[in-house]
Amino acid sequence: MESIWTKTCSIPRREQLQKDMKTEVAVIGAGMAGILIAWQLQKAGKQVIILEADRIASGQTKNTTAKITSQHDLIYANLISSQEEEKARQYAMANETAIEEYRRIIQEEQIHCNFEETQAYVYSTDKEKLMEEAKAAASLGISASFVSHATLPFQRTCALRFDGQAQFHPLKFIKHLAEQLEIYEKTPVRTVDEHILHTPKATVTAEHIVFATHYPFVNFPGLYFARMHQERSYVLALENAPMEQGMFIGDGETSYSFRTYDKYLLFGGEGHRTGDNRQGGKYNALRQKAKELFPQSLEAAHWSAQDCIPADGIPYIGQYASGKPYWYVSTGFQKWGMTTSMVSAMLIRDMICGKENPYAAVFDPRRFSAEAASGIACEGRQAVKTFAKRLFQLPEATAKELPLGHGGIVDLDGDKIGVYKEEDGTLHLVEIRCPHLGCQLEWNPDEKSWDCPCHGSRFDFRGKCITNPAQEDITIEKERPLP
Ligand code: FES
């Protein structure tokens, strides 16, 4: 599954780190956040290196819909009521400043990345809710308005409109900035011991360490696993699906996302909590909807994305944990990774350079609020449920009963084992205990992967870890004879 971005842009490879190094700042992760943080710090005069477990932009950056916007669903009315108004303003202005910063960098660096100024819309049938949100966003300084007739291919005519937003090609942008940076690929950081990062062949000693790894892999301190879960969603790139310019997203769980890129319409939806797709059929459902809305359309690409959802709806950007003043984190971007990556870059640059940033307080990872507490309790309940399931749930079938091309949990000599049976009958055996914190993995038939419902780690059918926070594979090396 290649996204439209990877089909249209490739980024040159880098070497693996081979020898021990010292640096002022080490950034872990070469996705949009890691690249922007490193680039901003280097521009501010810091010596920076980036350590990437796989390839540049090989994580969620290649799967984004690449909307650069401060419109993050309908959040501002809620932010004003759940936080102090000042914090809601910080959130709004940090994101508006991030859009402006993209504009500045793209212009100054002359980056050809299909950057387009456009409007962002949330559509809904709930007129009052949209009007309330427009009022809230405008009160915080955003150019927001209620639109009674948005041009959409279906009957949901009201929308909330933000002006001065943008969209682009994320890989063309990142490719340009990456050329200016020292990056080591295929260099996973296994452990971090105060100022020392351990990779398979060498160590890095850094004054400051930034975790820009989508989901932080150090569990203690920080406890990010108790404060976030992950969700998946699916995207189709459609040709011959004409649509009005603009970026659209629906309000509510069964809503869809639209934006144009070149001759394509990027049509997304069918989101769910990671590890909660046992029945499958997400791509088919999205294709069916596409046929209904755009009967003449043709599919040019399809792919999926994964997002970290923080307990109180606000990303964690800043000091990793109390007692670790030289560790920084950037995570919990929800579906808004482009703008939030830039917010992270500006905040963390200022923190490391000893400069005050007016928007830092609202994103402080060390915050604690009633909203966050109830979110944490909810995450905890889910983890206990899926942990208990591993202990008590009976296997679904025997390996013999599994149809070709299917996966499932089977009984093997009294153990529960994950099995995927290829079309030619080859079996792939995996542990179903997630190596992160022990929850039971679930088979995801749409993507032929083993997914963790607790914090969203994912493994391909061979057992290779493809999404953190887990860092280990789950393959059972020595195959047992099957009954
Ligand atoms: Fe945490 Fe699986 S991702 S237990």
Side-chain angles (χ1 to χ4, degrees):
M1 287 190 303
E2 263 198 286
S3 73
I4 202 71
W5 315 126
T6 48
K7 277 174 183 271
T8 51
C9 176
S10 66
I11 299 178
R13 302 203 156 186
R14 302 295 182 92
E15 295 299 313
Q16 187 186 35
L17 183 72
Q18 302 286 347
K19 62 175 193 319
D20 293 352
M21 294 187 74
K22 275 192 176 173
T23 182
E24 277 182 286
V25 186
V27 176
I28 312 173
M32 186 61 82
I35 293 281
L36 281 172
I37 292 165
W39 188 84
Q40 292 278 9
L41 281 162
Q42 190 167 282
K43 284 278 167 195
K46 296 287 177 193
Q47 180 201 11
V48 190
I49 64 169
I50 304 181
L51 304 170
E52 165 56 46
D54 195 0
R55 300 285 179 202
I56 296 167
S58 61
Q60 297 314 310
T61 299
K62 69 179 191 317
N63 299 329
T64 172
T65 50
K67 297 171 177 173
I68 303 174
T69 179
S70 58
Q71 188 186 67
H72 300 176
D73 294 318
L74 301 179
I75 52 158
Y76 291 106
N78 184 41
L79 268 182
I80 290 173
S81 62
S82 67
Q83 308 280 327
E84 303 143 33
E85 186 164 338
E86 174 49 29
K87 291 218 174 131
R89 192 180 312 282
Q90 287 176 13
Y91 187 102
M93 286 301 102
N95 283 286
E96 285 283 298
T97 308
I99 302 170
E100 188 51 44
E101 185 68 354
Y102 270 111
R103 237 179 240 122
R104 183 189 72 77
I105 294 173
I106 288 166
Q107 201 173 26
E108 284 182 18
E109 293 280 322
Q110 298 276 297
I111 307 175
H112 301 289
C113 58
N114 306 85
F115 181 81
E116 288 173 79
E117 304 275 353
T118 190
Q119 297 82 31
Y121 298 88
V122 178
Y123 61 84
S124 171
T125 48
D126 191 336
K127 184 176 169 184
E128 277 183 19
K129 199 170 168 190
L130 294 181
M131 289 177 97
E132 188 195 0
E133 179 72 0
K135 201 170 147 204
S139 77
L140 299 172
I142 293 172
S143 173
S145 54
F146 172 76
V147 185
S148 57
H149 293 288
T151 314
L152 285 163
F154 47 85
Q155 271 319 94
R156 293 216 195 189
T157 52
C158 307
L160 165 74
R161 168 179 161 153
F162 280 16
D163 293 315
Q165 315 291 296
Q167 57 187 21
F168 70 159
H169 189 309
L171 298 193
K172 289 183 185 174
F173 175 79
I174 218 172
K175 181 179 179 180
H176 181 101
L177 297 192
E179 282 165 9
Q180 303 171 25
L181 296 165
E182 185 173 352
I183 303 169
Y184 295 93
E185 292 186 329
K186 295 285 176 193
T187 305
V189 174
R190 298 288 186 215
T191 53
V192 184
D193 184 9
E194 299 301 338
H195 290 275
I196 304 174
L197 301 99
H198 299 268
T199 78
K201 297 204 174 145
T203 61
V204 174
T205 306
E207 285 170 35
H208 304 275
I209 296 166
V210 183
F211 293 78
T213 52
H214 179 67
Y215 200 115
F217 60 86
V218 173
N219 294 323
F220 307 98
L223 303 174
Y224 290 96
F225 63 85
R227 305 198 270 163
M228 287 197 298
H229 69 272
Q230 300 201 64
E231 293 184 0
R232 298 196 65 65
S233 55
Y234 302 83
V235 187
L236 305 178
L238 302 172
E239 281 184 78
N240 218 12
M243 195 164 150
E244 195 84 345
Q245 274 292 321
M247 306 179 293
F248 298 83
I249 194 157
D251 175 42
E253 283 187 1
T254 53
S255 66
Y256 297 96
S257 160
F258 307 83
R259 69 153 278 193
T260 52
Y261 161 65
D262 195 15
K263 61 182 178 181
Y264 306 104
L265 176 69
L266 309 190
F267 175 57
E270 297 297 332
H272 60 87
R273 184 173 175 127
T274 305
D276 189 16
N277 187 30
R278 285 175 75 189
Q279 301 309 319
K282 299 296 182 190
Y283 279 120
N284 284 345
L286 199 57
R287 285 178 181 127
Q288 213 172 330
K289 194 73 191 173
K291 273 287 159 217
E292 193 187 300
L293 298 177
F294 309 100
Q296 309 302 324
S297 64
L298 293 168
E299 185 178 317
H302 68 275
W303 68 95
S304 57
Q306 180 143 313
D307 299 299
C308 291
I309 312 295
D312 61 358
I314 301 174
Y316 301 112
I317 306 168
Q319 192 179 320
Y320 197 98
S322 301
K324 296 279 180 203
Y326 39 84
W327 285 15
Y328 307 83
V329 68
S330 158
T331 189
F333 294 177
Q334 304 176 94
K335 297 182 190 321
W336 313 107
M338 298 299 98
T339 334
T340 317
S341 289
M342 188 64 89
V343 171
S344 303
M346 295 187 293
L347 288 185
I348 292 175
R349 172 201 61 200
D350 288 353
M351 289 181 83
I352 290 178
C353 292
K355 228 174 106 187
E356 203 165 313
N357 185 298
Y359 313 127
V362 67
F363 300 103
D364 189 341
R366 296 163 300 168
R367 66 184 178 264
F368 188 81
S369 65
E371 281 247 315
S374 85
I376 289 166
C378 181
E379 293 307 322
R381 275 196 298 277
Q382 176 70 22
V384 169
K385 206 168 87 190
T386 49
F387 181 74
K389 202 171 174 187
R390 183 167 67 79
L391 302 177
F392 301 117
Q393 189 195 38
L394 293 173
E396 292 150 2
T398 65
K400 266 191 191 151
E401 287 163 353
L402 266 185
L404 296 174
H406 282 68
I409 296 171
V410 306
D411 175 65
L412 202 56
D413 300 336
D415 288 336
K416 287 196 290 179
I417 299 290
V419 174
Y420 170 63
K421 192 185 272 184
E422 284 196 64
E423 295 294 343
D424 66 1
T426 307
L427 294 170
H428 298 273
L429 277 57
V430 300
E431 296 283 0
I432 53 155
R433 180 186 182 281
C434 178
H436 178 231
L437 288 173
C439 292
Q440 175 174 303
L441 302 173
E442 296 285 356
W443 178 245
N444 175 351
D446 284 331
E447 306 187 81
K448 294 191 181 3
S449 62
W450 292 96
D451 299 355
C452 182
C454 283
H455 317 110
S457 293
R458 297 182 63 236
F459 308 83
D460 70 15
F461 65 79
R462 294 188 173 84
K464 185 178 179 315
C465 182
I466 47 177
T467 309
N468 62 358
Q471 292 178 285
E472 297 153 48
D473 299 338
I474 53 166
T475 312
I476 296 177
E477 298 293 349
K478 202 167 161 238
E479 294 202 2
R480 307 186 204 182
L482 289 165

